[in-house]
């Protein structure tokens, strides 16, 4: 969310170089914050899942949680990228791009989950998220690279 506020301030002041700098800092900062959490959650998945599940949780619930932490959570780095684009679009007031990127990710998740859940159960649901995140991020990249509004700010 900080990127949206900073971008809006720079956009209002016509400080387009500041937007570029803000994006670079936000990318670095996001990965610095998220990577340690991913590493801890992946390598200590049982302990982390124990923080959120009751002590008498079923072995299935623990297994699903541990598997998501180990195999699904690392893909959240793609979602971090998508959220950076969301905040950039929010900051420059490009709400149609924000809407389309968000909806494209949501639609991709619903479709992927609908197709995969019958075959893979809850893992199909997890895969729906993992498939949706790059869709969302790629649509954001497309707007950023090819829309006239974003090109004018670069």
């Amino acid at each position: 969310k900080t990127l949206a506020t900073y971008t809006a301030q720079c956009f209002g002041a016509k400080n387009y170089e500041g937007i570029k700098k803000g994006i670079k800092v936000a990318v670095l900062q996001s990965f610095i914050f998220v990577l340690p959490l991913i590493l801890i959650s992946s390598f200590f998945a049982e302990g982390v899942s124990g923080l959120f599940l009751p002590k008498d949780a079923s072995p299935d619930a623990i297994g699903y949680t541990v598997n998501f932490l180990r195999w699904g959570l690392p893909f959240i780095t793609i979602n971090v990228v998508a959220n950076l684009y969301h905040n950039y679009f929010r900051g420059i007031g490009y709400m149609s791009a924000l809407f389309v990127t968000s909806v494209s990710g949501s639609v991709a998740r619903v479709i992927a989950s609908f197709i995969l859940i019958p075959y893979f159960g809850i893992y199909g649901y997890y895969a729906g998220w993992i498939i949706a995140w790059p869709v969302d991020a790629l649509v954001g990249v497309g707007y950023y690279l090819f829309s006239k509004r974003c090109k004018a700010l670069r």
Side-chain angles (χ1 to χ4, degrees):
K1 303 290 181 192
T2 305
L3 178 62
T5 304
Y6 179 77
T7 300
Q9 290 171 347
C10 289
F11 184 71
K14 297 186 182 352
N15 177 8
Y16 305 130
E17 287 301 316
I19 294 173
K20 291 177 190 176
K21 180 181 177 186
I23 290 170
K24 290 175 186 174
V25 169
V27 168
L28 181 63
Q29 185 180 42
S30 296
F31 285 103
I32 287 172
F33 289 149
V34 80
L35 288 177
L37 295 173
I38 290 171
L39 291 172
I40 290 167
S41 296
S42 296
F43 289 110
F44 304 103
E46 291 87 357
V48 171
S49 68
L51 297 172
F52 301 98
L53 295 173
K55 295 198 184 298
D56 61 343
S58 73
D60 284 343
I62 294 168
Y64 292 143
T65 306
V66 166
N67 282 328
F68 180 78
L69 290 171
R70 284 193 178 135
W71 306 110
L73 192 62
F75 289 97
I76 206 161
T77 54
I78 299 167
N79 192 35
V80 167
V81 172
N83 280 311
L84 288 171
Y85 283 108
H86 289 195
N87 286 303
Y88 170 77
F89 297 143
R90 191 174 289 116
I92 64 169
Y94 197 2
M95 294 304 148
S96 60
L98 175 61
F99 178 77
V100 172
T101 55
S102 297
V103 169
S104 65
S106 296
V107 168
R109 181 170 41 87
V110 169
I111 291 170
S113 296
F114 181 76
I115 292 169
L116 297 172
I117 287 172
Y119 298 101
F120 302 106
I122 195 164
Y123 297 113
Y125 183 71
Y126 296 164
W129 280 355
I130 293 167
I131 290 167
W133 293 332
V135 170
D136 189 334
L138 288 172
V139 173
V141 168
Y143 269 100
Y144 181 77
L145 292 177
F146 301 111
S147 73
K148 288 180 184 176
R149 189 169 190 172
C150 293
K151 280 184 179 180
L153 299 175
R154 289 196 314 249

